[in-house]
Amino acid sequence: MKKQIGIGGIYARFVKRALDVLFSIILLLLLAFPMLIIAVFIRADSEGKAIFKQRRRGREGKVFVCYKFRTMYCNAPPYTPASDFDGYERYVTRTGRFLRRTSLDELPQLFNVLRGEMSLVGPRPLICEEKDMHRLRMSAGVYRLRPGITGMAQVRGRNLLDDAEKIKNDSYYLSNLRMGLDLKILFITLLKVIKKEGIKTE
């Protein structure tokens, strides 16, 4: 019988967090200049700050501030997933379209990883207004995990999946968390970003 995270497992309890800290520091150092250039392009392209801050649900369902590069004009609805917008494309800036296609808008979440609010791999953090998915995660125990920059649902369809499929993937990850699975998800994520597969705003 597989042990659940929080009950046992050295990787789940200790190693995963140590690797998150190590690799978030390395990546932030390596990407500091490219991130600065991205911020300059965002500010030059449209009015508003380069970093978009949004309240999302993290471990144990607690709310935290999630960071992303701003990809939309400042008049975009702030509390709705972009995939639920009516004609969301009209809200996306020119620079934002490129950032979304390449997933570079997610890079500031490395600061969330370093702060302990997120992990490199885990269920994507919910916007607080996503009530139905919040209830599903509560009942499935998914909030025992830190949310991730990428995760099982992201490599299996992202927002092309409905809530039931997403929670099924999140639950599978919860029950099977191990280093090999995290490495597999990171590798598939990299391939999908390179191939621009399954890219749909969230």
Side-chain angles (χ1 to χ4, degrees):
M1 181 176 178
K2 295 178 181 178
K3 293 181 179 180
Q4 297 288 323
I5 180 173
I7 298 175
I10 293 175
Y11 175 71
R13 295 171 67 95
F14 306 109
V15 178
K16 182 176 172 68
R17 177 60 190 151
L19 292 177
D20 279 341
V21 172
L22 175 63
F23 284 108
S24 61
I25 291 174
I26 292 173
L27 289 171
L28 284 169
L29 290 174
L30 291 175
L31 297 171
F33 185 68
M35 289 174 70
L36 177 61
I37 297 300
I38 290 171
V40 170
F41 271 94
I42 293 171
R43 293 295 302 272
D45 189 26
S46 61
E47 293 184 0
K49 297 179 179 179
I51 299 296
F52 174 68
K53 300 178 182 179
Q54 189 175 55
R55 286 159 48 88
R56 297 206 177 197
R57 292 197 180 275
R59 195 175 189 182
E60 307 300 337
K62 295 179 181 178
V63 176
F64 72 101
V65 177
C66 182
Y67 304 122
K68 298 182 73 171
F69 279 124
R70 180 174 60 82
T71 59
M72 293 192 171
Y73 294 105
C74 292
N75 65 341
Y79 306 117
T80 305
S83 55
D84 292 342
F85 286 5
D86 181 16
Y88 77 88
E89 283 289 349
R90 71 177 184 271
Y91 294 107
V92 182
T93 65
R94 288 173 299 175
T95 302
R97 284 193 288 272
F98 171 75
L99 295 177
R100 284 171 177 264
R101 284 197 304 268
T102 56
S103 296
L104 291 175
D105 58 318
E106 310 285 357
L107 289 180
Q109 289 167 36
L110 290 169
F111 288 105
N112 290 118
V113 175
L114 186 59
R115 287 159 57 103
E117 297 157 338
M118 292 182 64
S119 176
L120 293 176
V121 181
R124 285 295 294 159
L126 296 179
I127 296 172
C128 293
E129 286 67 29
E130 295 180 272
K131 304 294 187 184
D132 292 341
M133 193 63 181
H134 172 62
R135 285 191 288 270
L136 288 172
R137 284 190 171 180
M138 288 285 287
S139 62
V142 173
Y143 282 129
R144 299 164 76 183
L145 299 162
R146 285 185 178 88
I149 296 178
T150 186
M152 181 70 69
Q154 278 58 52
V155 300
R156 289 188 171 177
R158 205 168 178 175
N159 275 343
L160 301 177
L161 303 178
D162 60 26
D163 286 353
E165 291 171 316
K166 287 179 181 178
I167 203 66
K168 181 179 179 180
N169 281 288
D170 290 343
S171 297
Y172 177 88
Y173 180 75
L174 173 67
S175 300
N176 295 275
L177 177 56
R178 60 188 185 278
M179 183 181 292
L181 182 58
D182 275 358
L183 292 175
K184 180 179 179 180
I185 291 171
L186 288 170
F187 178 72
I188 295 174
T189 298
L190 181 60
L191 288 180
K192 285 184 173 290
V193 168
I194 293 172
K195 296 179 179 179
K196 298 183 176 64
E197 291 180 359
I199 302 299
K200 185 177 180 182
T201 24
E202 54 176 338

